[in-house]
Amino acid sequence: MLPRNNMTSAPIKTATQSQEDLKAIIAPIKEELAIVETWLTTNLIDDNPFVGELLSQVFQSGGKRVRVAIALLGSKASLIEGREMGRLNIIQAVLTELIHTASLVHDDVIDSASLRRGKETVNKRFNERLAVLLGDLLFAQASICLARIMNPVVVGIYGQVLGDLCAGEIKQMRSQFNIEVNWEAYINKSIAKTASLFAAGAHAGAILNAAPDLQVQALKDYGVNLGICFQIVDDLLDVTGEATELGKQPGSDLRAGVITAPALYILERDDETAKRLRELIKTRQICTDEGSEEGIALIKANGGVEATVKLAGHYADLAKQSLSKLAPSDARDSLENLINYVLIRTK
Amino acid sequence: MLPRNNMTSAPIKTATQSQEDLKAIIAPIKEELAIVETWLTTNLIDDNPFVGELLSQVFQSGGKRVRVAIALLGSKASLIEGREMGRLNIIQAVLTELIHTASLVHDDVIDSASLRRGKETVNKRFNERLAVLLGDLLFAQASICLARIMNPVVVGIYGQVLGDLCAGEIKQMRSQFNIEVNWEAYINKSIAKTASLFAAGAHAGAILNAAPDLQVQALKDYGVNLGICFQIVDDLLDVTGEATELGKQPGSDLRAGVITAPALYILERDDETAKRLRELIKTRQICTDEGSEEGIALIKANGGVEATVKLAGHYADLAKQSLSKLAPSDARDSLENLINYVLIRTK
């Protein structure tokens, strides 16, 4: 659970309350969400039933469909009054989740991760080879969705997202165990890894709806800022979370030498705490259970958590501000509530 | 080296002669090929020099650019007279090679292959994790190319190709050690794995050139049939080739339980030879050096090679027939010569 956030009014909530919040947030797009679920497991490639089985296995293992909600709500918030959401808006939401899931499956291979959402990863449960194939299959499904949308601008947006996802992974890989504090690099990595897809999800529907440029841009800004906020919260949870909440062991970033906001706030100090954390990282003691526990303790005892919550709150506020450029609607309210949901999510 | 082919006039050639043939084939597109090479290693994603380094490493390790040649020649053969090839034709050729290379890199992970073109595979030289990332990076570059082409029909064609590549790999995986003879399944797998991308490469340029439907269809048919022929020759070389020619150990398909044309011709017989090959596969003796050597010997001694050459020749003839619907040109001649080149290629 996250500590109280000073910059937004998000109260401390339990996991159950959080689920209730999500239920209210997705109320305006309930029907569309059900259609998306069917699409996600539909074999678009050929008539081989095995492909459908693989897709079912992936998508029945859960996930909160945050990116689907953003896409559908973005589409709904940018509809011309009286119009209904179209098939292309649905496909754009499907596509967004497909790319997200594909990148998770491949990231778990790249990071040799064994747990995700409390369940064994595909690479762990089966093997790395099937995980590679499955990720490719999901990317292929996404490409077919993209083709059905038939909009060159949207193709360009998602093409760049795919590049950003790889670039983000490369940036992370190459900055492992790097103790230099570079906030710009950290934010850019967060954009590439996470916020780029959030932004695509949030504003591509508005493009398909031929919404005014101001609305398209507002939704894009919302997506980028919410995505950065989401990644910061993710990084924070790796420090503050419990294994049961996270669905994986906490401290895994630190053990892998991935230095995120909570650690950066310590490293940028000029004191003994910073010196000790630098030492833990440089000597790779951080890779051990004892080392990562000491690192987490240093972060917690020296304000790393509070500063990170504040940083997440800053991007949450920016996301909120972007929404003011949209006309009031249930969908816009849900997009706003989604910001608080991201800030207080417990896993 | 391949035995003499009865259905086409391709003579037995040496590797050097074969290289000379390729040089003549690509003469009409020499300038464009050089531009493609530059594009292949250009980072389209961001300004990270490491991405360019990775791309250089992949593409400097060779490859004959057969798919690039098909794409550029298809574009050239379908140009309206007096027109020059445009930037989009170049990008379409780049895109075709990017998808091919991405799928090779991931296939080597999926198949745990350690040698490709006589060199260590990415997964062997570095690790599986980098190979996954590198494949994704190449797919991302391809998506960005696709976006730049800005043609919804072409997006659809390549989206389906990505699906076919996965479907082909799944079909192959699921039919390992299957001794039932199903020629339709074998050809369909060859289309999915190989010919689908050949077809896309061959005819997408004609679509960009706004060529008449008859020409577009002729180039598509050419690509499919040449692709099937190419895959059959590949399967044959796994039986007849030498390690030095293949750049990998011969018999690797058999050892992995991948049953292709040369083996199918034996398995469909009703005699002791077929019985023995079935036994080798069923008992997994085929996975050993002795077992695969015995399998290869059975195939060679019982006409499996000759029958496979004939089958490849059949698809070569179909490819040749498709070309008759195009106006005569240097590019068309090269496309025709490329068929012979595929039939006699030694690795």
Side-chain angles (χ1 to χ4, degrees):
Chain A
M1 202 185 300
L2 280 186
R4 185 176 298 274
N5 183 301
N6 297 322
M7 293 191 62
T8 68
S9 55
I12 295 173
K13 295 209 181 184
T14 65
T16 320
Q17 281 176 302
S18 170
Q19 275 167 20
E20 285 301 309
D21 287 349
L22 189 58
K23 218 168 156 184
I25 288 168
I26 62 175
I29 47 164
K30 223 180 141 191
E31 278 172 45
E32 290 86 352
L33 271 168
I35 306 172
V36 167
E37 285 303 314
T38 310
W39 266 85
L40 284 174
T41 55
T42 301
N43 177 357
L44 307 172
I45 295 167
D46 63 5
D47 53 3
N48 186 339
F50 183 65
V51 172
E53 282 170 38
L54 279 177
L55 294 172
S56 294
Q57 281 210 6
V58 179
F59 287 108
Q60 81 193 7
S61 80
K64 285 189 231 53
R65 310 284 187 258
V66 170
R67 290 156 194 80
V68 174
I70 292 171
L72 293 175
L73 291 168
S75 285
K76 198 138 205 163
S78 62
L79 275 180
I80 295 170
E81 228 186 293
R83 292 259 180 100
E84 295 236 333
M85 260 210 266
R87 189 169 155 271
L88 296 190
N89 293 123
I90 300 283
I91 300 179
Q92 183 249 330
V94 171
L95 155 69
T96 308
E97 189 70 14
L98 283 167
I99 290 179
H100 168 59
T101 312
S103 79
L104 286 189
V105 172
H106 279 183
D107 282 358
D108 285 341
V109 178
I110 293 168
D111 303 338
S112 301
S114 50
L115 272 182
R116 158 93 57 192
R117 294 171 186 156
K119 295 185 178 169
E120 279 189 328
T121 56
V122 181
N123 42 306
K124 174 82 182 172
R125 186 160 33 128
F126 302 98
N127 54 58
E128 298 207 339
R129 299 161 58 199
L130 190 74
V132 174
L133 181 62
L134 193 53
D136 286 350
L137 184 72
L138 293 165
F139 279 128
Q141 292 265 112
S143 300
I144 294 170
C145 286
L146 208 44
R148 295 213 185 164
I149 291 177
M150 288 269 234
N151 182 307
V153 179
V154 174
V155 173
I157 291 168
Y158 282 94
Q160 188 59 49
V161 165
L162 292 181
D164 288 342
L165 288 171
C166 291
E169 195 64 39
I170 290 172
K171 279 176 185 162
Q172 179 161 307
M173 215 179 242
R174 287 175 65 84
S175 61
Q176 273 168 311
F177 301 106
N178 186 344
I179 53 166
E180 269 174 62
V181 177
N182 184 338
W183 284 102
E184 197 190 343
Y186 170 70
I187 295 299
N188 282 340
K189 188 191 76 180
S190 304
I191 292 174
K193 264 186 71 181
T194 307
S196 175
L197 183 59
F198 268 66
H203 85 292
I207 293 173
L208 296 174
N209 293 341
D213 287 350
L214 194 81
Q215 278 183 36
V216 173
Q217 187 63 45
L219 283 163
K220 187 178 173 182
D221 293 343
Y222 167 83
V224 171
N225 289 305
L226 182 63
I228 298 172
C229 172
F230 188 95
Q231 184 57 52
I232 295 169
V233 173
D234 225 38
D235 295 341
L236 180 67
L237 288 171
D238 193 60
V239 166
T240 61
E242 300 288 331
T244 47
E245 294 170 325
L246 294 179
K248 61 177 180 181
Q249 279 304 309
S252 24
D253 286 341
L254 277 177
R255 272 196 300 277
V258 175
I259 312 302
T260 63
L264 288 173
Y265 278 117
I266 306 304
L267 291 174
E268 71 180 359
R269 295 158 62 128
D270 186 21
D271 61 9
E272 286 303 309
T273 312
K275 207 175 146 193
R276 177 65 187 148
L277 186 55
R278 273 183 221 118
E279 197 180 293
L280 286 172
I281 297 167
K282 277 202 286 192
T283 59
R284 303 292 189 267
Q285 288 176 72
I286 202 80
C287 306
T288 65
D289 282 349
E290 296 75 23
S292 67
E293 275 164 28
E294 187 183 341
I296 288 178
L298 283 175
I299 291 167
K300 283 183 174 169
N302 290 279
V305 171
E306 292 74 11
T308 305
V309 170
K310 206 170 155 188
L311 185 69
H314 168 67
Y315 287 99
D317 286 342
L318 290 179
K320 210 164 281 184
Q321 283 164 32
S322 313
L323 290 179
S324 64
K325 286 162 197 150
L326 300 176
S329 69
D330 286 355
R332 193 188 75 168
D333 291 345
S334 281
L335 286 171
E336 185 161 343
N337 292 331
L338 198 57
I339 303 172
N340 291 331
Y341 173 76
V342 166
L343 274 179
I344 60 139
R345 80 200 158 97
T346 51
K347 56 174 167 175
Chain B
M1 200 184 302
L2 280 185
R4 186 174 297 274
N5 182 304
N6 298 323
M7 292 191 60
T8 68
S9 55
I12 295 175
K13 293 209 180 186
T14 65
T16 320
Q17 281 176 303
S18 170
Q19 274 166 19
E20 286 300 310
D21 287 348
L22 189 58
K23 218 168 156 185
I25 288 168
I26 62 176
I29 47 163
K30 220 179 143 193
E31 277 172 46
E32 291 86 353
L33 271 168
I35 307 173
V36 166
E37 285 302 315
T38 309
W39 266 86
L40 285 173
T41 55
T42 301
N43 177 356
L44 307 172
I45 295 167
D46 63 4
D47 53 4
N48 186 340
F50 183 65
V51 172
E53 282 170 38
L54 280 176
L55 294 171
S56 294
Q57 280 210 7
V58 179
F59 288 108
Q60 80 192 9
S61 79
K64 284 189 231 55
R65 310 282 187 259
V66 170
R67 290 157 194 81
V68 174
I70 291 171
L72 292 175
L73 291 168
S75 284
K76 198 138 204 162
S78 61
L79 276 179
I80 296 170
E81 228 186 293
R83 292 258 180 102
E84 296 237 332
M85 260 209 267
R87 190 170 154 272
L88 297 189
N89 293 123
I90 301 283
I91 300 179
Q92 183 249 330
V94 171
L95 155 70
T96 308
E97 189 71 13
L98 283 168
I99 290 178
H100 167 59
T101 312
S103 78
L104 287 189
V105 172
H106 279 182
D107 282 358
D108 285 341
V109 178
I110 294 167
D111 302 339
S112 300
S114 51
L115 272 183
R116 159 92 59 189
R117 294 171 188 158
K119 294 185 180 173
E120 279 189 328
T121 56
V122 182
N123 42 307
K124 174 82 181 171
R125 186 159 33 124
F126 302 98
N127 54 58
E128 297 207 340
R129 300 160 59 197
L130 190 74
V132 174
L133 181 62
L134 193 54
D136 286 349
L137 184 73
L138 293 164
F139 279 128
Q141 292 265 113
S143 300
I144 294 171
C145 285
L146 209 44
R148 295 212 184 166
I149 291 177
M150 288 269 235
N151 182 306
V153 179
V154 174
V155 174
I157 290 168
Y158 282 94
Q160 188 59 49
V161 165
L162 292 181
D164 287 343
L165 288 171
C166 291
E169 196 63 37
I170 290 173
K171 278 175 186 162
Q172 179 161 306
M173 216 179 243
R174 287 175 65 85
S175 61
Q176 273 168 309
F177 302 107
N178 186 344
I179 54 166
E180 269 175 60
V181 176
N182 183 337
W183 283 104
E184 197 189 347
Y186 170 71
I187 296 298
N188 282 340
K189 188 190 76 178
S190 304
I191 293 174
K193 265 186 70 179
T194 306
S196 175
L197 183 58
F198 268 67
H203 86 291
I207 293 172
L208 297 174
N209 293 340
D213 287 351
L214 195 80
Q215 278 184 37
V216 173
Q217 187 63 45
L219 283 164
K220 187 177 174 183
D221 293 343
Y222 167 82
V224 171
N225 288 306
L226 183 63
I228 298 171
C229 171
F230 188 95
Q231 184 57 52
I232 294 170
V233 173
D234 225 40
D235 295 341
L236 180 67
L237 287 172
D238 193 61
V239 167
T240 61
E242 299 289 331
T244 48
E245 294 169 327
L246 294 180
K248 60 177 180 181
Q249 280 302 311
S252 22
D253 285 342
L254 277 176
R255 272 196 300 276
V258 175
I259 312 300
T260 64
L264 288 173
Y265 278 117
I266 306 304
L267 291 174
E268 71 179 0
R269 295 158 61 128
D270 187 21
D271 61 9
E272 285 303 308
T273 311
K275 206 175 149 193
R276 177 66 187 147
L277 186 55
R278 272 183 223 119
E279 197 179 295
L280 286 173
I281 298 168
K282 276 202 286 192
T283 59
R284 304 292 189 268
Q285 288 176 71
I286 202 78
C287 306
T288 65
D289 282 348
E290 297 75 24
S292 67
E293 274 164 30
E294 187 183 341
I296 288 178
L298 282 175
I299 290 167
K300 283 182 174 170
N302 291 280
V305 171
E306 291 74 9
T308 305
V309 170
K310 204 170 154 188
L311 185 68
H314 168 67
Y315 286 99
D317 285 343
L318 290 179
K320 209 164 281 184
Q321 282 165 31
S322 313
L323 289 180
S324 64
K325 286 161 198 151
L326 300 176
S329 69
D330 285 354
R332 193 188 76 169
D333 291 345
S334 281
L335 286 170
E336 184 160 345
N337 292 330
L338 199 56
I339 303 172
N340 291 332
Y341 173 77
V342 166
L343 273 179
I344 60 139
R345 82 200 157 97
T346 51
K347 59 172 166 176

